[in-house]
Amino acid sequence: MDEPGVLWLPSNNYFPGREKHNVRWLIIHGTAGFNSAQEVGEFFQRTDVSTHYTIGRDGVIVQSVREHDAAWGNGYVSEGHDPWWSKGLNPNYVTISIEHVKPSRDNSDALTTIQTEVSFRLVKNICERHEIPRRRADATGGITGHYSMDPVGRHFCPGPYPWEELFSYLAR
């Protein structure tokens, strides 16, 4: 595993090696259903979707795809996307994705306190490993939500997320 202490539930849904692209962005997701990170990890083993990590409401982290591979979590780039995304490049090749378990189908659940703490640490560690800018995303990289590349189909993803607190934490 890439992050110490995570539960490894591997998915076969990934692109090996990222086609030699470098990671530049970290994408925050909400699960829009499910009750645990383990349940999401098992789902990723049965269906044609995956993210690198899932953080449960209890703080458990499941890793489903190694960071040197591209998970299948970001789908495609839709109309109205942030200007740095290209429809000519699969965004999965240049991103690492973290799901956050949110039982509500509309992602309206706030993160739990432990989920927030674990998320912030994981984001920081991934940014350090891949030299991802520890700030809001722009054309050179950074951190954003799934809505950034698919404001049509994923406008509600990740739902409520403590962005300002994250960036304050990362600035320390």
Side-chain angles (χ1 to χ4, degrees):
M1 278 59 62
D2 298 296
E3 182 73 15
V6 302
L7 176 60
W8 176 240
L9 290 176
S11 171
N12 290 322
N13 305 316
Y14 64 91
F15 301 108
R18 297 182 173 277
E19 305 242 333
K20 300 184 182 178
H21 292 280
N22 292 321
V23 173
R24 295 173 42 202
W25 293 275
L26 195 150
I27 307 300
I28 303 294
H29 295 261
T31 59
F34 300 99
N35 294 303
S36 73
Q38 295 93 321
E39 186 181 356
V40 175
E42 291 166 1
F43 177 76
F44 288 161
Q45 292 178 326
R46 306 188 301 273
T47 60
D48 290 338
V49 67
S50 64
T51 58
H52 294 89
Y53 296 97
T54 304
I55 302 172
R57 297 186 64 74
D58 57 0
V60 169
I61 303 174
V62 167
Q63 185 171 0
S64 297
V65 175
R66 296 292 307 266
E67 291 178 11
H68 64 264
D69 295 319
W72 292 359
N74 294 318
Y76 65 97
V77 176
S78 72
E79 293 304 316
H81 60 82
D82 281 328
W84 56 84
W85 300 116
S86 167
K87 288 188 176 189
L89 174 64
N90 182 330
N92 292 303
Y93 288 134
V94 292
T95 60
I96 289 180
S97 295
I98 304 173
E99 287 279 7
H100 295 78
V101 172
K102 294 188 168 195
S104 298
R105 298 291 300 156
D106 64 356
N107 272 338
S108 60
D109 304 286
L111 300 185
T112 64
T113 300
I114 189 70
Q115 196 176 26
T116 300
E117 292 168 2
V118 168
S119 179
F120 288 6
R121 281 194 308 270
L122 180 59
V123 167
K124 181 178 185 244
N125 293 345
I126 291 169
C127 287
E128 289 173 357
R129 280 194 289 273
H130 296 276
E131 299 180 358
I132 297 170
R134 297 178 349 171
R135 56 166 169 70
R136 290 187 187 280
D138 65 16
T140 62
I143 306 161
T144 189
H146 193 184
Y147 59 78
S148 172
M149 66 189 68
D150 185 8
V152 175
R154 298 290 182 236
H155 63 279
F156 61 93
C157 188
Y161 188 86
W163 295 107
E164 295 310 316
E165 293 90 342
L166 171 66
F167 295 118
S168 292
Y169 174 86
L170 293 174
R172 296 185 215 160

